[in-house]
Amino acid sequence: MKRLIIASAIAASLVFAAGAMAHGDEEHGKKEEQPADGHAAALGKPGDPRKVTRSVNVEMNDAMRFRPDSIRVKRGETIRFIVRNTGKVKHEMVLGTIKELKEHAGMMRKFPEMEHADPNQVSVEPGMTGELVWQFTRAGTFDFACLVPGHFEAGMVGKVRVSR
Ligand SMILES: [Cu+2]
């Protein structure tokens, strides 16, 4: 009888372990799905530099503005943004939805040292030029912003209008 109890205790712990493992797998699976689902995915995907259909020049300056701050593209286009920083401080261009960008700006205020190099953004040192290649796969109006702490709040934002 005692042996039986031990055996079922082992069986129970095995089931528990298997359950824990299955749970772990599930979590893992969720994580892997995230890139398709989350960050900036609403407006498209990183573009293939060999399939660029058009280049767009964007200036970033210390007046906390993008020029132009409104960009029109056609759905499906792959745009090479040539982003020039004419200011004396670092600026960046981050593509996203305004909700996402707001959240991200909040994170940047909390962790100003946070460096990130996602495919939907380019950071440009003063006097330098950076590039960002993006394919717009959905029609709609999307946003971009500079998320250097304080810049988004100062109105350093712009819009991309993607037509069908
Ligand atoms: Cu800026």
Side-chain angles (χ1 to χ4, degrees):
M1 185 64 188
K2 199 174 184 186
R3 195 171 282 165
L4 188 68
I5 290 169
I6 290 169
S8 52
I10 289 170
S13 68
L14 280 176
V15 167
F16 179 75
M21 269 162 66
H23 184 66
D25 275 353
E26 197 178 293
E27 294 266 291
H28 187 64
K30 260 184 213 153
K31 227 174 224 161
E32 279 189 342
E33 275 166 29
Q34 257 175 6
D37 236 12
H39 218 51
L43 65 163
K45 58 185 185 183
D48 181 343
R50 292 164 303 176
K51 291 179 183 161
V52 169
T53 46
R54 198 155 55 93
S55 292
V56 173
N57 290 295
V58 179
E59 182 206 322
M60 306 190 289
N61 59 47
D62 291 351
M64 304 301 163
R65 290 296 179 269
F66 290 98
R67 281 201 328 196
D69 61 3
S70 177
I71 297 165
R72 287 173 179 280
V73 307
K74 277 208 181 89
R75 185 177 156 205
E77 269 194 303
T78 299
I79 303 292
R80 183 193 307 275
F81 293 100
I82 301 171
V83 188
R84 197 155 63 97
N85 181 353
T86 59
K88 292 193 162 51
V89 300
K90 188 170 104 172
H91 291 290
E92 58 187 24
M93 181 179 185
V94 186
L95 298 169
T97 61
I98 200 72
K99 178 175 175 282
E100 215 171 60
L101 294 168
K102 245 179 219 162
E103 284 169 10
H104 200 152
M107 286 282 287
M108 292 293 282
R109 273 200 305 279
K110 272 186 215 153
F111 307 103
E113 301 305 314
M114 190 169 74
E115 287 286 338
H116 46 285
D118 294 324
N120 64 317
Q121 69 105 41
V122 60
S123 293
V124 188
E125 297 295 329
M128 306 298 279
T129 299
E131 285 191 359
L132 174 56
V133 178
W134 193 260
Q135 185 181 17
F136 293 88
T137 55
R138 294 196 201 185
T141 299
F142 303 104
D143 306 279
F144 57 91
C146 175
L147 299 183
V148 172
H151 294 202
F152 175 84
E153 293 78 1
M156 197 161 180
V157 295
K159 285 195 180 304
V160 182
R161 290 170 219 277
V162 185
S163 60
R164 294 190 174 278

